[in-house]
Amino acid sequence: MNEGGFIMEYFILILGLLLIIGVLATKFSSRLGVPALVLFILVGMLLGSDGFKLIDFSDYNLSRLIGMFALVIILFDGGLQTKWSTVKPVVTPSLILATIGVILTSLIVGIGAKFVLEVTWFEALLFGSIVGSTDAAAVFAVLKGKNIKPRIKATLEAESGSNDPMAMILMISFIQLISMDQSSYLTLVGSFFWQMIIGLVFGLVAGKIATIAINNINLDSSGLYPVFTLAFALLIYSITDLINASGLLAVYVAAVLIGNSEITYRHSIFRFNEGFAWIAQILMFTILGLLVFPTHLFTWDIIWKGLLVSFILIFLARPIAVFLSTVKLGYNTKEKVFLSWAGLKGAVPIVLATFPMAAGLENSQLFFNVIFFIVLISALVQGSTISIFAEKLGLTGPKKTEPMHSLELVSLGKANAEMIEYEASDDTTIIGESLADIEFPNDVLVNAVIRNDELITPSGDTKIEPGDILYILVSRKSKKELKQLLKKEKEISTSSA
């Protein structure tokens, strides 16, 4: 009994320390110019068997489970934050990069791995397929808050959010070929299209159902809505994966749909998922760091092989794949160079590298160590220079400034009312109108106006200016009418223009 209690308390202590160290690491990462995921991995390596020996962990199956769970959370948060207006124009190039681009990258890396690692052709192509896709967790983490042009940023995020099915298909296919479990190529092609199409369709349908449920089920507390939304993310992934389709793609698509819809308690849902995504990143990369023994990783054999394969991947495979995949798609040379450089590797390759180990393949430990080394190189070299590259290539947008104001929304579930944030754009007809002249529903109250990062206490004479952010308190029964009013104003503005 005492021993069990000690183990439980030790586990909770370590978990608390990991989260505190992880949060502090994000602070130091911005100052050092190093992606936070690198520091999380280093923390895991330091706490592991070759470091301070606080945690003895080598369960690859559990790591894969935790890694996939974390990827679902991270992808869901990334999808919520994605604006469809910026993603829509780049859907085609993103999907091409996520399919043809992954195949080309995997093929070129596989050719290099054949001679560098001295393995069979099937093993080399298996290695290439594991590192062929960009990593959503790394891309979302590194690009977050960067003032990179929306079109390029959206291309990278959409590619990383949709390229896992191709990487999974290639990896599983080569494991089957190596294990002499022959599968017909027709079956493999059919499996790919099944994963992509069903994942996309189920994501759209489930995202629509989740949006309707969030808006129409009246819960007792606003704190339940984020949990309710997260539950849909886990449900969407699991159901899609059970029917052998791409659960990660379905989660990302559903999140984009939810994030771009009008949903109740939007701020609570977004902030909760953002915080939970940070927890997932910290735990996932730390646990992946625990799997590595520095004494095995930082040997001359792994270092020179990892450096050489990293060079092939970063300077040959990815650029060739990007330039060939984006022919006649409207990207100039500078944009293609940046897309090539920003093909970050992260959790996905490490998680995928555990599959050959679970299958008991001969060179699986070598693959895992080299792939882990490649991820570190990619995160350190590419991840820490993303902003520099964007500036040098002239691909940065206007500097992003975080608002200085803060408005905490309290739970109004019992009062059957909520707060809505509305930003007045230039083409809105309420511009120049005073609040007293706008025909709001009777039970609507404008509580605050934010203008140029300053709080203005509204009165009937307050006139709306472009860029004003209005916080409007509205009852549930009048919410639909208010939104129709705001939507109608936009449509009138567009037609009059």
Side-chain angles (χ1 to χ4, degrees):
M1 182 71 179
N2 291 335
E3 183 179 352
F6 175 77
I7 294 175
M8 179 185 69
E9 291 168 0
Y10 180 77
F11 172 79
I12 295 174
L13 173 64
I14 293 297
L15 180 62
L17 286 175
L18 284 180
L19 292 177
I20 291 175
I21 293 172
V23 171
L24 294 177
T26 62
K27 187 71 175 178
F28 286 109
S29 70
S30 59
R31 293 184 178 181
L32 298 174
V34 177
L37 64 92
V38 176
L39 298 183
F40 300 155
I41 290 174
L42 293 178
V43 168
M45 294 170 67
L46 287 173
L47 296 178
S49 301
D50 270 0
F52 297 119
K53 299 181 180 180
L54 293 177
I55 305 175
D56 184 13
F57 184 81
S58 59
D59 192 329
Y60 291 97
N61 290 323
L62 180 58
S63 299
R64 186 164 66 246
L65 174 63
I66 296 173
M68 294 306 295
F69 176 82
L71 285 173
V72 170
I73 304 302
I74 295 166
L75 264 179
F76 189 69
D77 176 62
L80 289 177
Q81 306 286 348
T82 299
K83 292 185 177 180
W84 174 243
S85 58
T86 57
V87 171
K88 185 178 180 180
V90 299
V91 167
T92 298
S94 297
L95 289 178
I96 293 176
L97 284 170
T99 51
I100 297 175
V102 171
I103 293 175
L104 292 174
T105 303
S106 302
L107 177 62
I108 297 170
V109 173
I111 294 173
K114 162 64 180 173
F115 300 100
V116 175
L117 303 181
E118 298 180 344
V119 293
T120 66
W121 276 111
F122 280 155
E123 288 177 323
L125 292 173
L126 168 63
F127 182 93
S129 67
I130 292 175
V131 298
S133 63
T134 58
D135 179 66
V139 169
F140 287 138
V142 171
L143 294 184
K144 194 167 189 176
K146 299 292 190 299
N147 60 322
I148 297 166
K149 287 189 175 179
R151 180 170 179 260
I152 303 302
K153 186 177 180 180
T155 301
L156 289 167
E157 291 181 342
E159 176 199 2
S160 65
S162 58
N163 63 8
D164 294 311
M166 178 57 78
M168 289 288 291
I169 286 292
L170 291 175
M171 181 200 66
I172 293 173
S173 301
F174 286 117
I175 288 178
Q176 290 176 344
L177 291 171
I178 294 170
S179 303
M180 309 303 283
D181 181 12
Q182 302 291 335
S183 299
S184 69
Y185 294 107
L186 186 61
T187 301
L188 296 177
V189 173
S191 177
F192 167 73
F193 282 105
W194 171 266
Q195 287 209 35
M196 291 289 286
I197 295 174
I198 300 302
L200 175 63
V201 172
F202 190 79
L204 290 172
V205 174
K208 186 64 176 178
I209 293 173
T211 301
I212 295 173
I214 294 167
N215 286 332
N216 289 278
I217 296 179
N218 188 12
L219 301 176
D220 290 337
S221 170
S222 63
L224 293 174
Y225 285 90
V227 179
F228 191 47
T229 308
L230 181 62
F232 272 104
L234 300 176
L235 194 64
I236 291 168
Y237 171 80
S238 58
I239 293 177
T240 312
D241 194 61
L242 284 173
I243 58 177
N244 295 319
S246 176
L248 294 177
L249 177 60
V251 166
Y252 180 70
V253 171
V256 173
L257 194 150
I258 295 171
N260 286 271
S261 302
E262 291 291 341
I263 54 174
T264 187
Y265 295 109
R266 183 182 188 87
H267 289 279
S268 298
I269 291 171
F270 274 51
R271 296 290 77 79
F272 173 87
N273 280 280
E274 182 181 17
F276 203 50
W278 272 112
I279 295 175
Q281 285 189 57
I282 292 171
L283 294 181
M284 176 179 64
F285 286 112
T286 302
I287 287 173
L288 293 177
L290 290 172
L291 289 178
V292 177
F293 293 88
T295 54
H296 298 166
L297 181 66
F298 298 111
T299 62
W300 174 242
D301 184 61
I302 297 297
I303 289 174
W304 80 262
K305 288 178 179 177
L307 287 173
L308 190 52
V309 177
S310 295
F311 179 87
I312 295 171
L313 172 62
I314 296 172
F315 294 101
L316 293 176
R318 174 68 179 179
I320 291 173
V322 168
F323 274 78
L324 292 179
S325 299
T326 56
V327 172
K328 296 182 179 180
L329 291 178
Y331 294 91
N332 59 42
T333 302
K334 290 183 177 180
E335 291 172 335
K336 292 179 181 180
V337 169
F338 183 77
L339 289 174
S340 301
W341 187 252
L344 300 173
K345 310 304 171 186
V348 169
I350 300 175
V351 171
L352 294 184
T354 63
F355 281 80
M357 300 192 75
L361 299 188
E362 181 180 355
N363 292 303
S364 58
Q365 187 62 57
L366 171 65
F367 284 7
F368 184 86
N369 289 335
V370 175
I371 288 169
F372 200 100
F373 191 87
I374 291 173
V375 169
L376 284 179
I377 294 297
S378 175
L380 282 170
V381 177
Q382 295 173 282
S384 60
T385 56
I386 287 288
S387 296
I388 298 174
F389 255 72
E391 290 176 4
K392 296 293 184 182
L393 295 171
L395 298 177
T396 54
K399 291 289 183 181
K400 293 184 177 181
T401 56
E402 293 294 331
M404 298 300 293
H405 63 273
S406 175
L407 180 62
E408 184 71 23
L409 303 182
V410 299
S411 172
L412 299 173
K414 294 293 185 181
N416 201 26
E418 65 179 274
M419 194 80 74
I420 291 179
E421 179 188 65
Y422 174 75
E423 183 174 356
S425 58
D426 292 321
D427 59 353
T428 305
T429 56
I430 65 172
I431 296 297
E433 294 288 331
S434 62
L435 291 177
D437 295 331
I438 301 175
E439 297 181 356
F440 289 116
N442 292 329
D443 47 359
V444 166
L445 178 64
V446 178
N447 289 79
V449 176
I450 306 297
R451 180 177 299 161
N452 298 325
D453 294 336
E454 292 185 0
L455 175 65
I456 297 175
T457 303
S459 65
D461 297 328
T462 302
K463 292 187 177 182
I464 306 302
E465 296 181 5
D468 282 356
I469 300 176
L470 280 63
Y471 287 95
I472 308 170
L473 183 64
V474 58
S475 66
R476 291 285 181 82
K477 65 179 182 179
S478 298
K479 180 181 175 182
K480 185 176 181 181
E481 183 181 353
L482 173 63
K483 290 182 177 180
Q484 288 176 343
L485 170 66
L486 298 175
K487 182 179 180 180
K488 180 180 179 181
E489 296 289 332
K490 290 181 180 180
E491 290 175 352
I492 292 175
S493 174
T494 304
S495 62
S496 63

